[in-house]
Amino acid sequence: MFKLSFPFLNLFLSLLLTSIPFLVISQNVNTELDILLKLKQQRAIHRLYSPGPPHPRRAIGRRLLHQRKVTSLLLSDKDIKVTIRQPFAPSETSPFWTCPITTSPENFQELFSIAQSFKAWIFLKIILYLTKLQYLYLNSNQFNGTLPNEIGYLANLVELGLAYNGFVPSPIPAEFGMLSKLTFMWIRNANLIGLIPDSFANLSSLKQLDLAINNVEGSIPGGLFLLKNLTYLYLFLNKLSGEIPQKVEAWNLVEIDLAMNNLTGSIPEDFGKLQNLKLLNLYRNQFSGEIPSSIGLISTLKTFKVFTNNLSGVLPPELGLHSKLEFFEVSANHFSGQLPENLCAGGELPSSLAWNFSRLELNNNKFSGAIPVGISRWVNLIVFEASNNMFSGEIPVEVTSLSRLNTLMLDGNQLSGQLPTKIISWKLLTTLNLSRNALSGQIPAVMGSIPVLLYLDLSQNHFSGKIPSELGQLKLLVLNLSSNQLSGQIPGQFDNFAYENGFLNNSNLCAANPVLNLPNCYISSHNSNKLSSKVLAMILVFSITISMATAILTLVVVRHNTRKKQNRDLATWKMTTFHKWISQKQTFWKV
C-alpha cells in the first residue's frame, strides 16, 4: 500500500507501470529518464519537456515537477488491469490519502525487477502536479473498482475518455460537474448506475456527452438541454424515465439519441427550434401524443426514428418538405391517415424520395392508400417495411425496379390483384413478405429468378394453380405458402422437413415423396380411381337394395289392400243374406 497525498496519483502509477511495454534495468541510475522518454515515444505522455542535457543524478521527474508541461495522457487500448479501491480516505496514522492497488502479474512480463526497485514516487509527483492536464483517455482497458471522483479536480481537463471499462457498478461522481473546461465526456459502456448529476448543468463548455449503454436511471436533468455548446447527446440504452425537459435551449445540438429507455410524455415542441439537428433517435420508449409539427421544419434533419412508442395522430405534413430524410422509421405506433405528401423530394408521394433516402419503416400503423407507380423513383431505397397497415390496390410492376432493395414487407394490408409477371431489377432482394392480403391469381414463375431471395412468405392470400417449378431454383431459408388455394405437385426441392409448415391449408397440393404431411401424388390418383369404383359399386348395391325393398314394400301393401277389400266384400255379402232371411221370415208370418 502506498501513502499518497492525492489518491488519483496512485491510479496513474499503476497505469504507467502496467500498460506500456518497455524494458527496465532496475539498478541503472538513468532508469527514470529512460522510462519517461519511452513513454513519450509511445505517445502515452505528450509534450514532455526536459530542457538541458540530462544529468545522471538528476531525476526527470523533478524536472517535470517544476515544468508542469504534461497536457495529455493517452492510455487507451493498453489492456490495463487495475482495481481502483473506493472510497479514498485518510488513514488513521497518516494525514495522506491511501489507495491500495492490485495489478495483474501478466502485465510485468516484459519488465525486469520493476516490482522490487522501481522508484514509484517519481510518477506520484508527476501526476500530483499535472495541473495543466487537458486530455485524459483511459478507455478500452480492464479497469475495475469504482469511478474515481478525483478526476473532477483536474480543473484544466478538456477531454475525458473512460469508456469501455469494467468498473463495478457505480454512480457518476458529482465532482465531474466541476470540470468547467470539459468539452468531451465519453463514458459509454462503463457500468454506470444512479442518476445523471444535476451538477452537469455547470458544464458550460461541454460539446459531446456520451453515457450510452449503461444503467443510468431517473430523469434527464433540465439543465442538460440548456447547455449552449452541447452538440452531441448520446444517452441511449439506459434506464432513464420521466419526461424530456420541455425547455430546450441547446441550439447547437446536431445529434440526439435517447433510444431504448423508459422515457414517457410528449416530444418537446422546442425540438423544432434545433435548426442544426441531423439525427433524432427516440425509438423504443413510451412517448405518447403527436409528433410536433415544428420538427417537420428542420431543414437539416436526415435521420428520424421514433418506432415502438405510443405516438398517435397524423404525421406532420411538413416532414420531408424542408429536409432530405435518409432514415424515416415510425413503425409500431398508432399513427393514422396517409403519409405526408412532402415526405418525398419534389412534392407528391411518392414520385421521388430524397436521393439518399434508404430506409422507410411504417409498420403497425393505420396508413392507407395505394402503392403508387412512382415508387420506381425511390432509387436508393434498401428497406421498405409497411406491415400491418391499410394499404390497398395492386402491387405495381414498378416496385420491382428498385435495384438496391433487399427487404420488402407489405404483409397485413389490403392489397389485391395479381403479382407482377415481370421483375425488372430485384437483384439484391433477400426478404419478401406479402402475407395476409387479398392477392390472387397464380404465383408468377419469374419469382424463381430472384437470385438472392432467402425469405418468401405469400401465406393467407387467394393464390391458385400450381406452384412454379422455378421456385425450386431458389435457396430459400423460409418458404410459407400456407392458406391459399394452390394445387398440384410441389417442387421436389421443397419436399423435405425444412418446409414442413410451408404448405398447410392447401387441400389440393400433393408431393412426389411422402416426406411432408401431404398426400402422395401417385397414390392419391390411384386411390382416387379405386375409390370411384368402390363408390359406384356401393351406389349400385344400394340402388338394388332400395329397389328390392321398394318392390317388397309395394307387394306387401298391395296384398294388404287386397285382403282388406276381400274382407270388406265378405262382410257386405253376409249382411245382405241376413237381411234377406229376415225379410223372408217377416213375409211368411204375415201370410
Side-chain angles (χ1 to χ4, degrees):
M1 178 180 295
F2 299 107
K3 294 183 178 180
L4 309 177
S5 60
F6 192 50
F8 180 58
L9 305 182
N10 212 9
L11 165 63
F12 285 104
L13 167 63
S14 179
L15 299 179
L16 297 173
L17 290 178
T18 61
S19 63
I20 310 299
F22 52 83
L23 300 179
V24 176
I25 302 175
S26 60
Q27 304 301 322
N28 195 327
V29 177
N30 294 319
T31 295
E32 302 161 3
L33 177 61
D34 293 339
I35 292 173
L36 289 174
L37 290 177
K38 288 182 179 180
L39 285 172
K40 179 181 183 298
Q41 292 171 2
Q42 297 194 30
R43 302 183 65 83
I45 295 181
H46 291 262
R47 302 174 188 173
L48 176 60
Y49 298 95
S50 178
H55 192 279
R57 297 185 181 277
R58 187 179 179 187
I60 194 171
R62 184 168 301 173
R63 298 178 189 177
L64 289 173
L65 279 174
H66 295 288
Q67 297 295 327
R68 302 181 184 179
K69 296 292 186 178
V70 178
T71 59
S72 303
L73 182 58
L74 310 180
L75 295 174
S76 303
D77 296 295
K78 299 298 182 182
D79 196 29
I80 302 171
K81 300 178 181 178
V82 177
T83 298
I84 305 172
R85 303 286 177 83
Q86 290 278 26
F88 295 126
S91 67
E92 296 179 358
T93 59
S94 171
F96 299 102
W97 294 76
T98 61
C99 176
I101 293 180
T102 62
T103 57
S104 173
E106 290 79 16
N107 291 321
F108 294 101
Q109 59 185 354
E110 295 185 26
L111 306 180
F112 295 95
S113 305
I114 191 170
Q116 297 294 327
S117 57
F118 187 71
K119 296 181 180 180
W121 61 270
I122 301 172
F123 294 102
L124 297 180
K125 290 184 178 181
I126 292 172
I127 302 300
L128 177 62
Y129 286 91
L130 294 183
T131 57
K132 296 184 180 296
L133 190 63
Q134 296 178 5
Y135 305 94
L136 176 60
Y137 283 86
L138 305 175
N139 52 285
S140 304
N141 285 291
Q142 299 183 40
F143 290 111
N144 51 52
T146 54
L147 206 62
N149 59 353
E150 285 76 15
I151 293 177
Y153 295 98
L154 298 174
N156 289 304
L157 202 60
V158 174
E159 295 184 8
L160 173 63
L162 299 174
Y164 300 104
N165 278 295
F167 297 112
V168 298
S170 56
I172 305 169
E175 288 82 356
F176 284 12
M178 298 189 300
L179 300 171
S180 60
K181 296 182 180 180
L182 194 70
T183 64
F184 179 87
M185 182 185 294
W186 182 35
I187 321 181
R188 177 181 296 193
N189 197 5
N191 260 340
L192 300 178
I193 60 172
L195 308 177
I196 299 176
D198 290 332
S199 60
F200 274 28
N202 300 322
L203 299 175
S204 56
S205 302
L206 192 64
K207 294 182 178 179
Q208 178 164 327
L209 176 62
D210 189 341
L211 305 177
I213 317 178
N214 284 289
N215 291 301
V216 179
E217 56 190 7
S219 58
I220 300 174
L224 210 56
F225 281 99
L226 302 179
L227 298 175
K228 304 297 184 180
N229 292 304
L230 190 62
T231 308
Y232 300 94
L233 177 61
Y234 303 118
L235 301 177
F236 62 89
L237 199 53
N238 277 286
K239 297 180 179 179
L240 296 170
S241 58
E243 298 187 6
I244 299 177
Q246 295 297 307
K247 187 177 182 181
V248 179
E249 294 182 358
W251 309 124
N252 290 317
L253 275 168
V254 173
E255 296 187 1
I256 301 175
D257 197 335
L258 308 179
M260 293 178 283
N261 281 284
N262 298 312
L263 296 169
T264 57
S266 59
I267 299 174
E269 185 74 29
D270 280 357
F271 275 4
K273 300 177 181 179
L274 304 176
Q275 293 305 306
N276 296 313
L277 193 65
K278 294 181 179 180
L279 179 146
L280 180 58
N281 284 347
L282 303 176
Y283 60 88
R284 296 186 188 275
N285 278 284
Q286 301 176 34
F287 292 116
S288 57
E290 298 186 1
I291 295 176
S293 58
S294 58
I295 290 180
L297 303 176
I298 303 175
S299 60
T300 55
L301 191 62
K302 293 183 177 181
T303 300
F304 182 71
K305 298 181 181 181
V306 295
F307 61 88
T308 314
N309 278 286
N310 295 313
L311 298 169
S312 58
V314 178
L315 290 175
E318 297 85 0
L319 277 172
L321 176 61
H322 304 284
S323 63
K324 296 181 179 180
L325 287 171
E326 297 177 15
F327 298 93
F328 180 76
E329 302 178 24
V330 297
S331 59
N333 281 286
H334 306 290
F335 295 119
S336 59
Q338 296 186 352
L339 293 174
E341 293 183 358
N342 298 303
L343 181 63
C344 309
E348 186 177 357
L349 179 73
S351 299
S352 61
L353 285 175
W355 68 271
N356 51 1
F357 199 105
S358 61
R359 191 179 188 97
L360 180 61
E361 293 191 13
L362 310 170
N363 301 325
N364 304 310
N365 286 288
K366 296 180 181 179
F367 294 121
S368 57
I371 298 175
V373 173
I375 195 173
S376 61
R377 300 184 185 180
W378 300 7
V379 292
N380 289 310
L381 196 65
I382 297 175
V383 175
F384 181 25
E385 297 183 7
S387 304
N388 302 318
N389 281 282
M390 301 173 64
F391 292 109
S392 58
E394 296 186 357
I395 298 176
V397 67
E398 285 78 8
V399 75
T400 68
S401 67
L402 302 177
S403 59
R404 300 189 63 191
L405 192 68
N406 68 27
T407 300
L408 177 59
M409 301 183 68
L410 299 174
D411 52 298
N413 282 282
Q414 301 173 15
L415 300 172
S416 59
Q418 299 184 6
L419 292 179
T421 56
K422 178 183 178 182
I423 292 179
I424 300 174
S425 185
W426 271 352
K427 298 178 181 179
L428 301 177
L429 191 69
T430 61
T431 301
L432 177 60
N433 190 344
L434 303 176
S435 63
R436 296 181 294 118
N437 280 285
L439 299 168
S440 59
Q442 295 187 343
I443 299 175
V446 71
M447 295 192 69
S449 65
I450 305 175
V452 293
L453 190 63
L454 300 175
Y455 182 103
L456 177 60
D457 193 343
L458 303 177
S459 62
Q460 299 186 51
N461 279 284
H462 305 299
F463 292 114
S464 58
K466 294 184 178 181
I467 300 173
S469 59
E470 288 80 359
L471 290 185
Q473 302 172 7
L474 302 174
K475 297 179 181 180
L476 293 173
L477 300 177
V478 176
L479 173 64
N480 192 353
L481 303 178
S482 300
S483 301
N484 281 287
Q485 300 167 17
L486 300 170
S487 59
Q489 180 177 326
I490 68 171
Q493 294 87 342
F494 303 136
D495 195 4
N496 59 72
F497 287 116
Y499 307 102
E500 62 179 336
N501 296 320
F503 306 100
L504 303 176
N505 300 322
N506 286 282
S507 58
N508 294 321
L509 284 178
C510 62
N513 298 308
V515 176
L516 300 178
N517 189 23
L518 291 173
N520 187 293
C521 294
Y522 173 75
I523 296 177
S524 175
S525 176
H526 188 65
N527 287 342
S528 177
N529 294 332
K530 289 184 177 180
L531 184 62
S532 299
S533 300
K534 290 181 179 179
V535 170
L536 290 174
M538 291 178 63
I539 292 174
L540 181 60
V541 171
F542 182 74
S543 298
I544 293 173
T545 303
I546 293 296
S547 299
M548 292 179 63
T550 303
I552 294 173
L553 181 61
T554 302
L555 181 60
V556 171
V557 171
V558 170
R559 291 183 63 183
H560 175 72
N561 290 338
T562 303
R563 288 180 180 178
K564 186 175 181 181
K565 183 177 181 181
Q566 290 176 351
N567 291 337
R568 187 170 59 251
D569 292 344
L570 181 60
T572 304
W573 176 80
K574 288 181 180 180
M575 183 71 67
T576 303
T577 305
F578 175 76
H579 282 293
K580 286 182 179 181
W581 183 77
I582 292 295
S583 178
Q584 290 176 357
K585 287 292 185 181
Q586 290 178 348
T587 303
F588 174 77
W589 288 110
K590 287 180 180 180
V591 176

PDB file of all heavy atoms in Angstrom, residues 61-85:
ATOM      1  N   GLY A  61      11.743  13.277 -13.264  1.00  0.00           N
ATOM      2  CA  GLY A  61      10.516  13.546 -12.549  1.00  0.00           C
ATOM      3  C   GLY A  61      10.551  14.884 -11.846  1.00  0.00           C
ATOM      4  O   GLY A  61       9.574  15.618 -11.816  1.00  0.00           O
ATOM      5  N   ARG A  62      11.728  15.238 -11.306  1.00  0.00           N
ATOM      6  CA  ARG A  62      11.829  16.515 -10.609  1.00  0.00           C
ATOM      7  C   ARG A  62      11.722  17.669 -11.581  1.00  0.00           C
ATOM      8  O   ARG A  62      11.151  18.709 -11.292  1.00  0.00           O
ATOM      9  CB  ARG A  62      13.152  16.562  -9.851  1.00  0.00           C
ATOM     10  CG  ARG A  62      13.337  17.801  -9.011  1.00  0.00           C
ATOM     11  CD  ARG A  62      14.506  17.648  -8.071  1.00  0.00           C
ATOM     12  NE  ARG A  62      14.297  16.512  -7.187  1.00  0.00           N
ATOM     13  CZ  ARG A  62      15.231  16.053  -6.344  1.00  0.00           C
ATOM     14  NH1 ARG A  62      16.413  16.605  -6.285  1.00  0.00           N
ATOM     15  NH2 ARG A  62      14.961  15.007  -5.571  1.00  0.00           N
ATOM     16  N   ARG A  63      12.258  17.459 -12.798  1.00  0.00           N
ATOM     17  CA  ARG A  63      12.127  18.497 -13.806  1.00  0.00           C
ATOM     18  C   ARG A  63      10.657  18.738 -14.152  1.00  0.00           C
ATOM     19  O   ARG A  63      10.209  19.868 -14.294  1.00  0.00           O
ATOM     20  CB  ARG A  63      12.884  18.107 -15.079  1.00  0.00           C
ATOM     21  CG  ARG A  63      14.367  17.942 -14.870  1.00  0.00           C
ATOM     22  CD  ARG A  63      15.020  17.517 -16.167  1.00  0.00           C
ATOM     23  NE  ARG A  63      16.404  17.141 -15.943  1.00  0.00           N
ATOM     24  CZ  ARG A  63      17.194  16.680 -16.899  1.00  0.00           C
ATOM     25  NH1 ARG A  63      16.723  16.553 -18.127  1.00  0.00           N
ATOM     26  NH2 ARG A  63      18.443  16.348 -16.637  1.00  0.00           N
ATOM     27  N   LEU A  64       9.949  17.639 -14.287  1.00  0.00           N
ATOM     28  CA  LEU A  64       8.541  17.773 -14.632  1.00  0.00           C
ATOM     29  C   LEU A  64       7.755  18.411 -13.504  1.00  0.00           C
ATOM     30  O   LEU A  64       6.761  19.098 -13.738  1.00  0.00           O
ATOM     31  CB  LEU A  64       7.951  16.395 -14.964  1.00  0.00           C
ATOM     32  CG  LEU A  64       8.430  15.786 -16.290  1.00  0.00           C
ATOM     33  CD1 LEU A  64       7.913  14.380 -16.425  1.00  0.00           C
ATOM     34  CD2 LEU A  64       7.997  16.639 -17.461  1.00  0.00           C
ATOM     35  N   LEU A  65       8.193  18.174 -12.282  1.00  0.00           N
ATOM     36  CA  LEU A  65       7.525  18.810 -11.160  1.00  0.00           C
ATOM     37  C   LEU A  65       7.535  20.323 -11.308  1.00  0.00           C
ATOM     38  O   LEU A  65       6.549  20.996 -11.007  1.00  0.00           O
ATOM     39  CB  LEU A  65       8.214  18.424  -9.850  1.00  0.00           C
ATOM     40  CG  LEU A  65       7.843  17.061  -9.258  1.00  0.00           C
ATOM     41  CD1 LEU A  65       8.722  16.792  -8.048  1.00  0.00           C
ATOM     42  CD2 LEU A  65       6.393  17.041  -8.870  1.00  0.00           C
ATOM     43  N   HIS A  66       8.638  20.826 -11.803  1.00  0.00           N
ATOM     44  CA  HIS A  66       8.760  22.269 -11.899  1.00  0.00           C
ATOM     45  C   HIS A  66       8.227  22.797 -13.231  1.00  0.00           C
ATOM     46  O   HIS A  66       7.712  23.900 -13.292  1.00  0.00           O
ATOM     47  CB  HIS A  66      10.229  22.669 -11.717  1.00  0.00           C
ATOM     48  CG  HIS A  66      10.748  22.356 -10.358  1.00  0.00           C
ATOM     49  ND1 HIS A  66      10.368  23.054  -9.236  1.00  0.00           N
ATOM     50  CD2 HIS A  66      11.610  21.393  -9.926  1.00  0.00           C
ATOM     51  CE1 HIS A  66      10.990  22.563  -8.168  1.00  0.00           C
ATOM     52  NE2 HIS A  66      11.744  21.540  -8.565  1.00  0.00           N
ATOM     53  N   GLN A  67       8.364  21.976 -14.300  1.00  0.00           N
ATOM     54  CA  GLN A  67       7.902  22.442 -15.597  1.00  0.00           C
ATOM     55  C   GLN A  67       6.383  22.355 -15.739  1.00  0.00           C
ATOM     56  O   GLN A  67       5.761  23.234 -16.306  1.00  0.00           O
ATOM     57  CB  GLN A  67       8.564  21.612 -16.715  1.00  0.00           C
ATOM     58  CG  GLN A  67      10.068  21.750 -16.770  1.00  0.00           C
ATOM     59  CD  GLN A  67      10.490  23.148 -17.129  1.00  0.00           C
ATOM     60  OE1 GLN A  67       9.796  23.828 -17.897  1.00  0.00           O
ATOM     61  NE2 GLN A  67      11.605  23.617 -16.561  1.00  0.00           N
ATOM     62  N   ARG A  68       5.809  21.270 -15.253  1.00  0.00           N
ATOM     63  CA  ARG A  68       4.360  21.068 -15.296  1.00  0.00           C
ATOM     64  C   ARG A  68       3.822  21.250 -16.717  1.00  0.00           C
ATOM     65  O   ARG A  68       2.853  21.967 -16.957  1.00  0.00           O
ATOM     66  CB  ARG A  68       3.646  22.047 -14.366  1.00  0.00           C
ATOM     67  CG  ARG A  68       4.104  21.940 -12.927  1.00  0.00           C
ATOM     68  CD  ARG A  68       3.365  22.912 -12.053  1.00  0.00           C
ATOM     69  NE  ARG A  68       3.860  22.880 -10.687  1.00  0.00           N
ATOM     70  CZ  ARG A  68       3.407  23.636  -9.704  1.00  0.00           C
ATOM     71  NH1 ARG A  68       2.438  24.504  -9.946  1.00  0.00           N
ATOM     72  NH2 ARG A  68       3.903  23.549  -8.494  1.00  0.00           N
ATOM     73  N   LYS A  69       4.468  20.597 -17.669  1.00  0.00           N
ATOM     74  CA  LYS A  69       4.111  20.785 -19.065  1.00  0.00           C
ATOM     75  C   LYS A  69       3.275  19.648 -19.642  1.00  0.00           C
ATOM     76  O   LYS A  69       2.860  19.734 -20.803  1.00  0.00           O
ATOM     77  CB  LYS A  69       5.388  20.937 -19.922  1.00  0.00           C
ATOM     78  CG  LYS A  69       6.218  22.169 -19.579  1.00  0.00           C
ATOM     79  CD  LYS A  69       5.489  23.440 -19.967  1.00  0.00           C
ATOM     80  CE  LYS A  69       6.360  24.649 -19.761  1.00  0.00           C
ATOM     81  NZ  LYS A  69       5.691  25.885 -20.179  1.00  0.00           N
ATOM     82  N   VAL A  70       3.043  18.564 -18.917  1.00  0.00           N
ATOM     83  CA  VAL A  70       2.292  17.439 -19.472  1.00  0.00           C
ATOM     84  C   VAL A  70       0.828  17.837 -19.597  1.00  0.00           C
ATOM     85  O   VAL A  70       0.175  18.192 -18.622  1.00  0.00           O
ATOM     86  CB  VAL A  70       2.420  16.184 -18.591  1.00  0.00           C
ATOM     87  CG1 VAL A  70       1.578  15.060 -19.172  1.00  0.00           C
ATOM     88  CG2 VAL A  70       3.879  15.759 -18.531  1.00  0.00           C
ATOM     89  N   THR A  71       0.327  17.804 -20.825  1.00  0.00           N
ATOM     90  CA  THR A  71      -1.069  18.187 -21.061  1.00  0.00           C
ATOM     91  C   THR A  71      -1.929  17.025 -21.535  1.00  0.00           C
ATOM     92  O   THR A  71      -3.147  17.146 -21.550  1.00  0.00           O
ATOM     93  CB  THR A  71      -1.125  19.302 -22.116  1.00  0.00           C
ATOM     94  OG1 THR A  71      -0.537  18.839 -23.334  1.00  0.00           O
ATOM     95  CG2 THR A  71      -0.407  20.545 -21.625  1.00  0.00           C
ATOM     96  N   SER A  72      -1.317  15.896 -21.940  1.00  0.00           N
ATOM     97  CA  SER A  72      -2.107  14.769 -22.454  1.00  0.00           C
ATOM     98  C   SER A  72      -1.574  13.471 -21.905  1.00  0.00           C
ATOM     99  O   SER A  72      -0.359  13.253 -21.850  1.00  0.00           O
ATOM    100  CB  SER A  72      -2.045  14.720 -23.987  1.00  0.00           C
ATOM    101  OG  SER A  72      -2.495  15.930 -24.550  1.00  0.00           O
ATOM    102  N   LEU A  73      -2.479  12.616 -21.501  1.00  0.00           N
ATOM    103  CA  LEU A  73      -2.125  11.275 -21.073  1.00  0.00           C
ATOM    104  C   LEU A  73      -3.077  10.310 -21.766  1.00  0.00           C
ATOM    105  O   LEU A  73      -4.255  10.238 -21.438  1.00  0.00           O
ATOM    106  CB  LEU A  73      -2.250  11.141 -19.552  1.00  0.00           C
ATOM    107  CG  LEU A  73      -1.845   9.775 -18.966  1.00  0.00           C
ATOM    108  CD1 LEU A  73      -0.400   9.458 -19.332  1.00  0.00           C
ATOM    109  CD2 LEU A  73      -2.019   9.785 -17.453  1.00  0.00           C
ATOM    110  N   LEU A  74      -2.564   9.595 -22.772  1.00  0.00           N
ATOM    111  CA  LEU A  74      -3.389   8.719 -23.598  1.00  0.00           C
ATOM    112  C   LEU A  74      -2.975   7.278 -23.356  1.00  0.00           C
ATOM    113  O   LEU A  74      -1.899   6.844 -23.781  1.00  0.00           O
ATOM    114  CB  LEU A  74      -3.224   9.076 -25.082  1.00  0.00           C
ATOM    115  CG  LEU A  74      -3.394  10.560 -25.436  1.00  0.00           C
ATOM    116  CD1 LEU A  74      -3.206  10.768 -26.932  1.00  0.00           C
ATOM    117  CD2 LEU A  74      -4.753  11.058 -25.003  1.00  0.00           C
ATOM    118  N   LEU A  75      -3.830   6.521 -22.691  1.00  0.00           N
ATOM    119  CA  LEU A  75      -3.539   5.128 -22.383  1.00  0.00           C
ATOM    120  C   LEU A  75      -4.682   4.226 -22.843  1.00  0.00           C
ATOM    121  O   LEU A  75      -5.025   3.255 -22.195  1.00  0.00           O
ATOM    122  CB  LEU A  75      -3.311   4.959 -20.870  1.00  0.00           C
ATOM    123  CG  LEU A  75      -2.089   5.689 -20.313  1.00  0.00           C
ATOM    124  CD1 LEU A  75      -2.046   5.586 -18.800  1.00  0.00           C
ATOM    125  CD2 LEU A  75      -0.811   5.136 -20.908  1.00  0.00           C
ATOM    126  N   SER A  76      -5.259   4.556 -23.983  1.00  0.00           N
ATOM    127  CA  SER A  76      -6.369   3.762 -24.498  1.00  0.00           C
ATOM    128  C   SER A  76      -5.871   2.445 -25.078  1.00  0.00           C
ATOM    129  O   SER A  76      -4.760   2.351 -25.602  1.00  0.00           O
ATOM    130  CB  SER A  76      -7.104   4.541 -25.598  1.00  0.00           C
ATOM    131  OG  SER A  76      -7.541   5.783 -25.109  1.00  0.00           O
ATOM    132  N   ASP A  77      -6.689   1.424 -24.976  1.00  0.00           N
ATOM    133  CA  ASP A  77      -6.426   0.127 -25.595  1.00  0.00           C
ATOM    134  C   ASP A  77      -5.076  -0.452 -25.184  1.00  0.00           C
ATOM    135  O   ASP A  77      -4.341  -0.992 -25.999  1.00  0.00           O
ATOM    136  CB  ASP A  77      -6.487   0.235 -27.115  1.00  0.00           C
ATOM    137  CG  ASP A  77      -7.876   0.609 -27.584  1.00  0.00           C
ATOM    138  OD1 ASP A  77      -8.794  -0.193 -27.394  1.00  0.00           O
ATOM    139  OD2 ASP A  77      -8.034   1.713 -28.134  1.00  0.00           O
ATOM    140  N   LYS A  78      -4.735  -0.325 -23.919  1.00  0.00           N
ATOM    141  CA  LYS A  78      -3.474  -0.879 -23.435  1.00  0.00           C
ATOM    142  C   LYS A  78      -3.669  -2.160 -22.630  1.00  0.00           C
ATOM    143  O   LYS A  78      -2.715  -2.697 -22.084  1.00  0.00           O
ATOM    144  CB  LYS A  78      -2.742   0.157 -22.559  1.00  0.00           C
ATOM    145  CG  LYS A  78      -2.388   1.455 -23.287  1.00  0.00           C
ATOM    146  CD  LYS A  78      -1.433   1.199 -24.434  1.00  0.00           C
ATOM    147  CE  LYS A  78      -1.054   2.495 -25.117  1.00  0.00           C
ATOM    148  NZ  LYS A  78      -0.173   2.285 -26.270  1.00  0.00           N
ATOM    149  N   ASP A  79      -4.909  -2.634 -22.540  1.00  0.00           N
ATOM    150  CA  ASP A  79      -5.208  -3.862 -21.792  1.00  0.00           C
ATOM    151  C   ASP A  79      -4.753  -3.753 -20.341  1.00  0.00           C
ATOM    152  O   ASP A  79      -4.216  -4.677 -19.753  1.00  0.00           O
ATOM    153  CB  ASP A  79      -4.558  -5.067 -22.470  1.00  0.00           C
ATOM    154  CG  ASP A  79      -5.160  -6.383 -21.974  1.00  0.00           C
ATOM    155  OD1 ASP A  79      -6.348  -6.375 -21.592  1.00  0.00           O
ATOM    156  OD2 ASP A  79      -4.451  -7.408 -21.952  1.00  0.00           O
ATOM    157  N   ILE A  80      -4.959  -2.563 -19.776  1.00  0.00           N
ATOM    158  CA  ILE A  80      -4.555  -2.333 -18.394  1.00  0.00           C
ATOM    159  C   ILE A  80      -5.520  -3.009 -17.447  1.00  0.00           C
ATOM    160  O   ILE A  80      -6.735  -2.941 -17.627  1.00  0.00           O
ATOM    161  CB  ILE A  80      -4.514  -0.815 -18.099  1.00  0.00           C
ATOM    162  CG1 ILE A  80      -3.548  -0.135 -19.079  1.00  0.00           C
ATOM    163  CG2 ILE A  80      -4.118  -0.542 -16.661  1.00  0.00           C
ATOM    164  CD1 ILE A  80      -3.605   1.369 -19.016  1.00  0.00           C
ATOM    165  N   LYS A  81      -4.979  -3.662 -16.451  1.00  0.00           N
ATOM    166  CA  LYS A  81      -5.803  -4.342 -15.451  1.00  0.00           C
ATOM    167  C   LYS A  81      -5.505  -3.736 -14.084  1.00  0.00           C
ATOM    168  O   LYS A  81      -4.466  -3.997 -13.491  1.00  0.00           O
ATOM    169  CB  LYS A  81      -5.515  -5.842 -15.439  1.00  0.00           C
ATOM    170  CG  LYS A  81      -5.792  -6.528 -16.776  1.00  0.00           C
ATOM    171  CD  LYS A  81      -5.439  -7.995 -16.735  1.00  0.00           C
ATOM    172  CE  LYS A  81      -5.686  -8.669 -18.082  1.00  0.00           C
ATOM    173  NZ  LYS A  81      -5.307 -10.093 -18.067  1.00  0.00           N
ATOM    174  N   VAL A  82      -6.397  -2.914 -13.614  1.00  0.00           N
ATOM    175  CA  VAL A  82      -6.189  -2.204 -12.349  1.00  0.00           C
ATOM    176  C   VAL A  82      -7.482  -2.223 -11.554  1.00  0.00           C
ATOM    177  O   VAL A  82      -8.554  -2.037 -12.116  1.00  0.00           O
ATOM    178  CB  VAL A  82      -5.757  -0.745 -12.593  1.00  0.00           C
ATOM    179  CG1 VAL A  82      -5.622  -0.004 -11.274  1.00  0.00           C
ATOM    180  CG2 VAL A  82      -4.439  -0.707 -13.342  1.00  0.00           C
ATOM    181  N   THR A  83      -7.371  -2.452 -10.265  1.00  0.00           N
ATOM    182  CA  THR A  83      -8.510  -2.322  -9.371  1.00  0.00           C
ATOM    183  C   THR A  83      -8.417  -1.001  -8.635  1.00  0.00           C
ATOM    184  O   THR A  83      -7.411  -0.722  -7.977  1.00  0.00           O
ATOM    185  CB  THR A  83      -8.552  -3.467  -8.351  1.00  0.00           C
ATOM    186  OG1 THR A  83      -8.700  -4.693  -9.057  1.00  0.00           O
ATOM    187  CG2 THR A  83      -9.722  -3.284  -7.389  1.00  0.00           C
ATOM    188  N   ILE A  84      -9.421  -0.188  -8.783  1.00  0.00           N
ATOM    189  CA  ILE A  84      -9.468   1.110  -8.109  1.00  0.00           C
ATOM    190  C   ILE A  84     -10.336   0.947  -6.880  1.00  0.00           C
ATOM    191  O   ILE A  84     -11.517   0.639  -6.974  1.00  0.00           O
ATOM    192  CB  ILE A  84     -10.050   2.182  -9.033  1.00  0.00           C
ATOM    193  CG1 ILE A  84      -9.258   2.222 -10.344  1.00  0.00           C
ATOM    194  CG2 ILE A  84     -10.034   3.538  -8.349  1.00  0.00           C
ATOM    195  CD1 ILE A  84      -9.880   3.108 -11.385  1.00  0.00           C
ATOM    196  N   ARG A  85      -9.760   1.139  -5.729  1.00  0.00           N
ATOM    197  CA  ARG A  85     -10.486   0.924  -4.481  1.00  0.00           C
ATOM    198  C   ARG A  85     -11.128   2.219  -4.025  1.00  0.00           C
ATOM    199  O   ARG A  85     -10.508   3.259  -4.025  1.00  0.00           O
ATOM    200  CB  ARG A  85      -9.541   0.419  -3.386  1.00  0.00           C
ATOM    201  CG  ARG A  85      -8.798  -0.870  -3.771  1.00  0.00           C
ATOM    202  CD  ARG A  85      -9.705  -2.079  -3.733  1.00  0.00           C
ATOM    203  NE  ARG A  85      -9.011  -3.274  -4.157  1.00  0.00           N
ATOM    204  CZ  ARG A  85      -8.247  -4.018  -3.357  1.00  0.00           C
ATOM    205  NH1 ARG A  85      -8.048  -3.651  -2.118  1.00  0.00           N
ATOM    206  NH2 ARG A  85      -7.658  -5.091  -3.825  1.00  0.00           N
TER     207      ARG A  85
END
